[in-house]
Amino acid sequence: MLARNFLHRAISTVRGVRMLSDGLARMDFSKIEEHDINTFKELIGETSVLTHNDALEFHNNDWMKQYRGNSRVVLKPKSTSEVANILKHCNSRRLAVVPQGGNTGLVGGSVPVFDEVVLSLSSMNKILSLDEYNGVVQCEAGCILQTLEEYLAKHGFVVPLDLGSRGSCQLGGNVSTNAGGLRLIRFGPLRASVLGMEAVMADGTVLDSLKTLRKDNTGYDIKQLLIGSEGTLGIITKLAISVPRKLHSVNLAMFACESFQEVMDTVAAAKDKLAEIVSAIEFYDYQCSELVVRNLPGMSKAFESNFPFYVLVETTGSEEGHDKEKLDKFLDYTMEQQFVRDGIIAQGGIQMRKIWEMRENIPLALTKEAEVFKYDLSVPIFEMYNLVENVRTRLKYRCPHAAVYGYGHLGDGNLHLNVTCPKADKQTVLHMIEPFVYEWTAEKRGSISAEHGIGQMKTSKLHMSKAPELIALMRQIKRVFDPNGILNPYKVLADQ
């Protein structure tokens, strides 16, 4: 499957690199000197301190080649104590630090802006334990999502998170960005599954909250502050995650709709008729299907005719006969109500994978275009496609060669809006869609970042989703956790 190998290494097209440092002043941090390099070698070993150009090139760039930093050193600690010792030194010297996981983010949150020290968690990748009675796994922050998936599958469990970048993203990064994914409607947000955490603060203090309890009502839940903080408050080193049992009755249906109203009716019906077994509800438009078939050899459409919208409904349960019967009845019901114009239920794993590949490979197909503007937004479901149509209207005459694509997670109102264009039209298109996209989202009381985070891409847009009082409180929290501001500066809070 193409999406299973959707790694940053596979992307060969290099577009114009976005460097936030253009127009942004470097803060008053110390610069790395030779004695710092020597200290790091003493603390974590010479082989764990990378200074050669090849290693720096990989860690200074995000996988989309949109952001580039200029770090002189990459550190790969192998234990929590090594992370603590690194941060003690960096804090005492006021050396800025960028925590880095799999570097699969889309907002530049895991790469340096200037010459920050890169602290990679990739060497801390162990699975520590699995409590099969309580369904709790403990692992280090650098554990790759797919590795954990495969380990748990052997024991009859699943990770409550499913991402296209599973082959390279790391659990620490997933938690630091509160990653969403395809099955949030079933498992809830990732923060709901994190039972315990070990993290290191900017001054090297280790916060040990690595518990496996489902109930612990003893004051402030500090780990929840670190979840989604994108490494600006502390560096996660270990996690305890609640993992559900793997259910073996999995079914997938795909529906074709003529309007987005029919899409919404199908979603409402799925939540009603399939309530206890629905595990994913996704959609993509006709433009996305054409893009995937055009840019990815071997991909094909599920229906002979073309339709404006396609909806995927996945169910997961424990009784194959019961679940299949419910899905068959649901297909009949939606056809009778004229919510859908055509529909299929996957017959076996091969057909199921082919249907999923069309949806999961949309991001990969987009990378084949000359220029791509990506937006990860959360709005009420009845507003989702209005934005796509509004953007198309804005670009229709001024930028006729631009294309607009809409897909996303219908179960939780997460729209992935993408705009592509020739290189020559980049600035014109950008002027037409920004800040319009963010302003439109704010008017609908939506979120400018549903699951990707703020990173360095959206710092100046944070006020469109957060009230001034909330941002002020975020700054106070940042100062308490990181008085010197060394952890992931220039990210999330614009002037930190």
Side-chain angles (χ1 to χ4, degrees), residues 11 23 98 103 126 130 192 235 271 301 347 374 434 453 483:
I11 309 303
V98 176
N103 203 11
K126 300 184 187 69
L130 172 63
I235 297 181
K271 290 181 176 180
K301 300 176 184 178
Q347 304 298 313
K374 304 176 76 67
E434 289 189 19

Side-chain angles (χ1 to χ4, degrees), residues 23 43 52 55 60 71 77 104 167 178 217 244 275 280 308 338 348 380 386 391 419 435 439-440 458 476 492 495:
L43 292 175
H52 53 87
N60 270 318
S71 178
T104 58
N178 191 32
N217 196 15
Q338 296 188 335
N386 290 339
V391 172
V419 180
E439 291 173 343
W440 186 95
K458 301 180 182 180
Q476 292 180 43
V492 184
D495 61 352

Side-chain angles (χ1 to χ4, degrees), residues 47 64 68 71 87 106 122 180 225 259 412 451:
T47 58
M64 286 284 290
R68 178 181 176 82
S71 178
L87 291 183
L106 292 168
S122 60
L225 284 175
S259 68
D412 50 59
E451 60 183 2

Side-chain angles (χ1 to χ4, degrees), residues 45-339:
E46 189 167 341
T47 58
S48 298
V49 179
L50 309 181
T51 57
H52 53 87
N53 289 336
D54 289 345
L56 296 179
E57 181 71 15
F58 175 80
H59 291 279
N60 270 318
N61 289 277
D62 75 311
W63 69 271
M64 286 284 290
K65 306 299 183 186
Q66 292 288 330
Y67 299 93
R68 178 181 176 82
N70 291 289
S71 178
R72 289 183 52 204
V73 61
V74 175
L75 307 178
K76 292 192 171 186
K78 299 177 288 297
S79 67
T80 300
S81 61
E82 289 188 355
V83 174
N85 289 333
I86 289 170
L87 291 183
K88 284 178 185 176
H89 176 77
C90 291
N91 194 56
S92 67
R93 284 270 292 122
R94 292 202 78 243
L95 293 169
V97 178
V98 176
Q100 191 173 92
N103 203 11
T104 58
L106 292 168
V107 292
S110 60
V111 293
V113 176
F114 293 99
D115 55 352
E116 301 92 284
V117 173
V118 174
L119 196 158
S120 168
L121 279 299
S122 60
S123 294
M124 296 177 62
N125 54 18
K126 300 184 187 69
I127 297 171
L128 303 173
S129 66
L130 172 63
D131 181 344
E132 297 193 35
Y133 293 102
N134 290 310
V136 181
V137 68
Q138 295 189 52
C139 65
E140 293 181 318
C143 181
I144 292 174
L145 176 58
Q146 186 171 336
T147 300
L148 186 61
E149 285 180 344
E150 293 170 353
Y151 169 83
L152 289 175
K154 295 176 183 177
H155 297 273
F157 292 88
V158 296
V159 183
L161 176 69
D162 193 0
L163 301 172
S165 59
R166 59 181 64 82
S168 49
C169 66
Q170 298 174 11
L171 268 296
N174 297 151
V175 172
S176 292
T177 55
N178 191 32
L182 301 172
R183 293 177 176 84
L184 188 140
I185 189 175
R186 180 61 174 256
F187 300 124
L190 184 55
R191 68 169 63 248
S193 297
V194 178
L195 302 180
M197 175 190 296
E198 178 189 81
V200 184
M201 295 180 69
D203 65 357
T205 300
V206 177
L207 301 179
D208 184 1
S209 183
L210 195 64
K211 296 182 178 181
T212 60
L213 306 175
R214 296 179 187 276
K215 285 187 173 181
D216 181 12
N217 196 15
T218 53
Y220 305 142
D221 191 354
I222 300 300
K223 71 176 182 296
Q224 289 296 334
L225 284 175
L226 275 77
I227 299 171
S229 68
E230 302 183 48
T232 62
L233 301 181
I235 297 181
I236 297 171
T237 50
K238 293 176 184 174
L239 291 160
I241 300 173
S242 173
V243 290
R245 282 282 179 181
K246 181 179 177 63
L247 301 178
H248 297 284
S249 171
V250 180
N251 292 284
L252 181 65
M254 183 174 180
F255 305 96
C257 300
E258 284 288 350
S259 68
F260 200 72
Q261 180 61 54
E262 292 180 1
V263 170
M264 291 190 292
D265 290 336
T266 303
V267 173
K271 290 181 176 180
D272 177 31
K273 306 294 184 182
L274 303 171
E276 79 280 10
I277 58 173
V278 67
S279 53
I281 308 177
E282 300 286 307
F283 95 98
Y284 57 89
D285 57 19
Y286 164 78
Q287 289 80 1
C288 286
S289 67
E290 290 293 303
L291 173 83
V292 172
V293 172
R294 180 176 73 246
N295 286 352
L296 302 178
M299 299 299 296
S300 58
K301 300 176 184 178
F303 300 103
E304 290 185 4
S305 300
N306 292 321
F307 296 91
F309 299 98
Y310 302 95
V311 178
L312 276 62
V313 176
E314 181 192 76
T315 65
T316 305
S318 56
E319 293 291 339
E320 180 71 30
H322 167 269
D323 299 348
K324 186 69 163 57
E325 182 181 359
K326 290 199 74 167
L327 195 56
D328 286 338
K329 289 181 178 179
F330 177 72
L331 175 58
D332 292 340
Y333 173 79
T334 54
M335 294 287 284
E336 290 170 3
Q337 297 296 316
Q338 296 188 335
F339 296 160

Side-chain angles (χ1 to χ4, degrees), residues 7-25:
L7 308 178
H8 42 271
R9 295 178 182 84
I11 309 303
S12 57
T13 302
V14 179
R15 291 181 292 279
V17 176
R18 297 172 67 175
M19 298 181 68
L20 188 64
S21 53
D22 294 342
L24 180 70

Side-chain angles (χ1 to χ4, degrees), residues 328-469:
D328 286 338
K329 289 181 178 179
F330 177 72
L331 175 58
D332 292 340
Y333 173 79
T334 54
M335 294 287 284
E336 290 170 3
Q337 297 296 316
Q338 296 188 335
F339 296 160
V340 304
R341 305 302 164 147
D342 202 351
I344 56 173
I345 296 177
Q347 304 298 313
I350 294 176
Q351 190 176 19
M352 193 177 298
R353 283 193 295 274
K354 287 181 68 67
I355 292 174
W356 267 122
E357 281 179 350
M358 281 293 291
R359 162 61 185 86
E360 287 190 312
N361 282 315
I362 296 170
L364 181 57
L366 284 163
T367 66
K368 308 298 182 181
E369 298 295 294
E371 292 290 346
V372 184
F373 299 93
K374 304 176 76 67
Y375 300 93
D376 161 48
L377 310 165
S378 185
V379 291
I381 185 174
F382 58 84
E383 295 282 11
M384 285 178 74
Y385 210 73
N386 290 339
L387 176 58
V388 180
E389 292 175 333
N390 286 344
V391 172
R392 283 198 182 117
T393 299
R394 287 178 68 86
L395 295 173
K396 184 175 181 181
Y397 299 107
R398 286 282 305 276
C399 308
H401 298 296
V404 183
Y405 305 89
Y407 69 97
H409 316 300
L410 288 170
D412 50 59
N414 183 183
L415 171 68
H416 292 294
L417 168 70
N418 292 263
V419 180
T420 65
C421 67
K423 287 183 179 294
D425 294 342
K426 179 179 179 179
Q427 292 306 316
T428 303
V429 170
L430 182 61
H431 177 73
M432 294 293 293
I433 60 179
E434 289 189 19
F436 170 76
V437 168
Y438 296 119
E439 291 173 343
W440 186 95
T441 302
E443 287 175 4
K444 307 302 179 183
R445 294 189 64 81
S447 171
I448 63 167
S449 182
E451 60 183 2
H452 294 162
I454 298 297
Q456 55 181 293
M457 177 183 179
K458 301 180 182 180
T459 53
S460 64
K461 315 295 192 306
L462 184 61
H463 68 280
M464 294 184 178
S465 283
K466 287 278 193 289
E469 297 80 7

